[in-house]
Amino acid sequence: VQLQASGGGLVQAGGSLRLSCAASGNIFSINVMAWYRQTPGKQRELVAKITAGGSTNYADSVKGRFTISRDNARNTVYLQMNSLKPEDTAVYYCNADRIFWSRGSVYDQWGQGTQVTVSS
């Protein structure tokens, strides 16, 4: 089982980016999927999470600007980021808390990270 994140890049303040993270493998289902971010010298922080049923939670700093969604049939989670600010600059990581697949289940799986840079 692997998580592959994509969609990062350089954007001006006020712009938008859409991140994607696809889980590969013979997967039956995934519990909670989430996006975290990390800047140098700081702890990784939760940005948003979404349950298999579609319930969402957001960090206060991104509420109203970011939207998390998922496609269960494609085992993919998305993060639509609008009205980006320089303080959103970070490496963004996707996470799956529990993946059920053909060989059982695995916990706390992480993608490789994708850089988002917002210029002022």
Side-chain angles (χ1 to χ4, degrees):
V1 174
Q2 272 191 322
L3 297 180
Q4 181 71 38
S6 61
L10 172 64
V11 65
Q12 288 188 329
S16 298
L17 282 174
R18 189 190 195 211
L19 306 183
S20 299
C21 176
S24 61
N26 192 10
I27 294 170
F28 300 146
S29 64
I30 303 174
N31 278 358
V32 177
M33 301 187 81
W35 288 96
Y36 289 75
R37 66 187 181 187
Q38 189 171 24
T39 54
K42 292 190 176 181
Q43 283 192 329
R44 196 170 293 187
E45 64 172 358
L46 177 66
V47 176
K49 62 181 179 180
I50 184 168
T51 67
S55 297
T56 58
N57 285 97
Y58 296 91
D60 288 342
S61 59
V62 307
K63 281 180 182 176
R65 300 188 297 121
F66 290 10
T67 302
I68 189 170
S69 61
R70 64 190 284 174
D71 183 336
N72 291 331
R74 298 175 191 265
N75 298 314
T76 301
V77 62
Y78 306 97
L79 187 68
Q80 178 66 44
M81 305 185 293
N82 298 329
S83 302
L84 282 161
K85 304 175 181 180
E87 50 264 44
D88 294 318
T89 296
V91 178
Y92 284 70
Y93 298 88
C94 56
N95 174 270
D97 74 334
R98 187 175 185 182
I99 299 175
F100 297 88
W101 69 306
S102 59
R103 295 187 182 182
S105 62
V106 291
Y107 296 86
D108 200 27
Q109 297 295 296
W110 292 91
Q112 85 283 11
T114 184
Q115 176 71 46
V116 171
T117 302
V118 184
S119 63
S120 56

